[in-house]
Amino acid sequence: DARVTQTPRHKVTEMGQEVTMRCQPILGHNTVFWYRQTMMQGLELLAYFRNRAPLDDSGMPKDRFSAEMPDATLATLKIQPSEPRDSAVYFCASGLATQTVFFGQGTRLTVV
Amino acid sequence: DAKTTQPPSMDCAEGRAANLPCNHSTISGNEYVYWYRQIHSQGPQYIIHGLKNNETNEMASLIITEDRKSSTLILPHATLRDTAVYYCIVRPTNAGKSTFGDGTTLTVKP
């Protein structure tokens, strides 16, 4: 059963620490999305990649967030330094360019 | 991206059909209508999508009006496990970028 895999599922960290979230897209999918969900803002698109190249990262705070795809099987989202307002659930999703997008189970980040 | 409008909440009796409306009056010709649902804080789950024709799968049916300005997701026999937030989004075929609104919280009651 193909699925998007995200690690870790939960992360608690102290303010100022670096946080790295990882995503393994479904094999063969060439488009990867990062979303953030909070009670106040709902699901927000942070960035997305196609064929490992960033297409749009306008939703991402540039000063502390960075997203990369080191290879086709791994996408990373880093926050450095982390702040309490970054506490949220971060979802990765993957798909083919013109087809259905499937979501992972998310990483719940708590910054204290 | 075209914006969508959904009622914030709906109730449905268990075993009855749940009909969830969505307005997407500014949809473009190359944009599909997609439906996802989210149970608690799990990842959004794909349900169904369509361009202009009505669609049916094992989970639900999607009815799109002829002018494509609105659609209805139908869960034919709702169960308690269908209680979730349902999102209607429109997605261009060439870009893949999708914007989620606030969705409809469907509560299925015994």
Side-chain angles (χ1 to χ4, degrees):
Chain A
D1 185 24
R3 62 183 66 188
V4 177
T5 303
Q6 291 186 246
T7 56
R9 292 294 311 279
H10 302 273
K11 177 72 175 179
V12 179
T13 190
E14 291 185 348
M15 182 173 62
Q17 296 297 306
E18 177 179 300
V19 175
T20 299
M21 290 169 271
R22 294 177 173 80
C23 168
Q24 180 177 350
I26 293 173
L27 188 64
H29 283 187
N30 66 347
T31 307
V32 174
F33 304 80
W34 282 105
Y35 285 86
R36 175 173 64 182
Q37 187 172 37
T38 62
M39 289 293 293
M40 295 298 295
Q41 300 295 328
L43 268 166
E44 304 173 272
L45 178 65
L46 297 176
Y48 79 106
F49 293 75
R50 178 155 304 141
N51 297 322
R52 297 175 56 200
L55 283 191
D56 187 342
D57 61 1
S58 59
M60 202 164 64
K62 300 294 190 302
D63 55 339
R64 298 182 300 107
F65 284 60
S66 62
E68 297 179 342
M69 283 200 72
D71 60 59
T73 64
L74 177 65
T76 62
L77 180 65
K78 292 186 180 181
I79 308 174
Q80 168 64 18
S82 58
E83 297 181 1
R85 59 179 169 152
D86 301 328
S87 297
V89 183
Y90 291 81
F91 290 105
C92 174
S94 75
L96 290 172
T98 59
Q99 298 182 21
T100 302
V101 171
F102 296 92
F103 284 76
Q105 290 304 298
T107 293
R108 181 176 294 277
L109 174 66
T110 303
V111 183
V112 298
Chain B
D1 291 351
K3 298 185 75 172
T4 61
T5 305
Q6 299 177 254
S9 63
M10 293 182 64
D11 290 343
C12 178
E14 187 179 19
R16 304 296 294 269
N19 297 285
L20 292 90
C22 179
N23 181 286
H24 31 79
S25 58
T26 58
I27 192 170
S28 300
N30 69 340
E31 289 180 318
Y32 282 77
V33 179
Y34 275 80
W35 283 83
Y36 287 82
R37 72 180 182 184
Q38 189 174 26
I39 299 172
H40 297 301
S41 294
Q42 297 179 22
Q45 176 191 23
Y46 165 77
I47 301 173
I48 198 167
H49 74 281
L51 184 63
K52 58 176 103 172
N53 297 324
N54 298 337
E55 302 288 344
T56 296
N57 63 21
E58 65 278 4
M59 291 182 68
S61 295
L62 174 60
I63 308 298
I64 303 174
T65 58
E66 192 168 339
D67 63 8
R68 302 211 322 126
K69 293 185 177 182
S70 65
S71 61
T72 301
L73 178 74
I74 301 172
L75 307 179
H77 306 287
T79 71
L80 299 179
R81 289 177 296 177
D82 291 323
T83 292
V85 179
Y86 287 77
Y87 295 99
C88 165
I89 62 173
V90 292
R91 181 178 166 224
T93 57
N94 62 342
K97 182 176 176 179
S98 302
T99 301
F100 284 76
D102 294 331
T104 295
T105 298
L106 174 69
T107 303
V108 180
K109 298 185 174 180

